[in-house]
Amino acid sequence: MRISLAKYYSCIPISMEPSMDARGRGRDKIILTLMGLGFGFLAGWGLFYRWGSGPTLAPVSISDWLQAAGSLLGIAIAVYVPWRQRQYQIDEERRRDRELVEIMHTALFQPAEAYRASCAYFQRDLHARRERRKNMPTFLFERPIEFDQFREKLYLLGALGGQINKLIAHQDVVRMHYKEFLLFDDPVPPTFTARVTSRLEQGIAIAEDIASRLQELANRRADWN
């Protein structure tokens, strides 16, 4: 079953995981609470005593306390602001990667299914005569644009991404075999037929597994809606 990419874009599912923004707000509350407790401790100490006064603690002046509190607050802000900006960047990168994974689940299904069909077509006509081969499409195993578009990000799919990478490499090899096949005189050498038959069976199995898993993942998201 072909999954409509347009339909997917019109209804991207809501993630079942807590949002990055919610986690970021919770993290900020914890940090601000700790900073507040530290500042409160300093304020309580500063109102009555001065650090380093020896066994007999002497009262501290308000101006000393304000200077110490201001220094502490400045250091805290200098540390927190860059850290929070970096955390925001990390959250944004994770959000974009999550959205890209959902897009790849749908966008890579059709190329995988098309490769399976191409391998089956080639396998069926492996013994075709030269007249028949003259009319066979030369572009049959050209790499789909989706493979090039998403290849650098396939690692986001984990083991499935590795399998798709394997399929891309497999297609490159089969494309060379196919071009060679179209140029043979009659008959096609039996050694070539035997070698390519096993390779095509392997390609069909890989493509079927990938397409099935991509379709399952896309349908699962559709059910969440």
Side-chain angles (χ1 to χ4, degrees):
M1 180 182 71
R2 180 177 297 181
I3 301 175
S4 171
L5 192 58
K7 179 180 179 182
Y8 167 73
Y9 283 123
S10 66
C11 55
I12 295 179
I14 299 175
S15 174
M16 300 295 287
E17 301 176 353
S19 69
M20 290 295 179
D21 291 340
R23 288 202 291 265
R25 287 194 297 270
R27 183 173 56 225
D28 289 346
K29 289 178 181 178
I30 294 173
I31 294 173
L32 291 174
T33 299
L34 294 175
M35 290 175 60
L37 291 174
F39 187 78
F41 176 78
L42 176 65
W45 164 80
L47 286 173
F48 300 101
Y49 299 106
R50 176 168 49 206
W51 185 267
S53 59
T56 304
L57 299 178
V60 71
S61 66
I62 296 298
S63 61
D64 289 344
W65 174 80
L66 291 177
Q67 183 178 4
S71 299
L72 179 63
L73 183 61
I75 293 172
I77 293 175
V79 171
Y80 175 75
V81 171
W83 175 86
R84 183 66 192 100
Q85 290 176 341
R86 177 55 184 159
Q87 290 302 312
Y88 176 78
Q89 292 174 353
I90 292 174
D91 290 346
E92 281 295 300
E93 290 171 2
R94 288 175 177 171
R95 181 186 62 79
R96 288 195 296 268
D97 286 345
R98 193 167 61 248
E99 291 178 352
L100 182 59
V101 165
E102 294 176 352
I103 292 172
M104 285 193 289
H105 286 165
T106 301
L108 295 174
F109 169 80
Q110 185 57 36
E113 177 61 22
Y115 183 60
R116 182 206 62 78
S118 296
C119 286
Y121 173 84
F122 188 12
Q123 187 180 43
R124 184 194 64 194
D125 284 343
L126 262 175
H127 298 283
R129 307 291 293 180
R130 184 163 178 76
E131 280 302 314
R132 161 72 178 141
R133 281 183 270 130
K134 287 180 179 180
N135 297 320
M136 294 175 69
T138 58
F139 57 83
L140 190 61
F141 289 99
E142 294 301 319
R143 184 186 297 175
I145 189 173
E146 291 88 350
F147 285 163
D148 290 328
Q149 182 179 358
F150 297 112
R151 193 167 192 180
E152 291 185 358
K153 292 292 186 177
L154 287 177
Y155 69 89
L156 295 174
L157 298 177
L160 179 57
Q163 197 172 9
I164 294 173
N165 236 329
K166 182 178 178 180
L167 182 143
I168 295 173
H170 192 279
Q171 185 174 20
D172 291 340
V173 174
V174 171
R175 181 169 62 251
M176 291 188 294
H177 287 322
Y178 184 68
K179 291 181 178 179
E180 185 181 8
F181 166 76
L182 295 179
L183 298 176
F184 278 129
D185 291 327
D186 291 330
V188 176
T191 54
F192 174 86
T193 302
R195 182 172 71 253
V196 174
T197 295
S198 62
R199 195 175 296 277
L200 292 176
E201 290 174 350
Q202 181 186 41
I204 290 172
I206 295 173
E208 281 182 344
D209 183 51
I210 291 173
S212 175
R213 292 173 63 184
L214 289 172
Q215 187 175 30
E216 180 183 354
L217 290 167
N219 289 340
R220 188 182 303 168
R221 291 198 315 275
D223 291 340
W224 290 346
N225 286 339

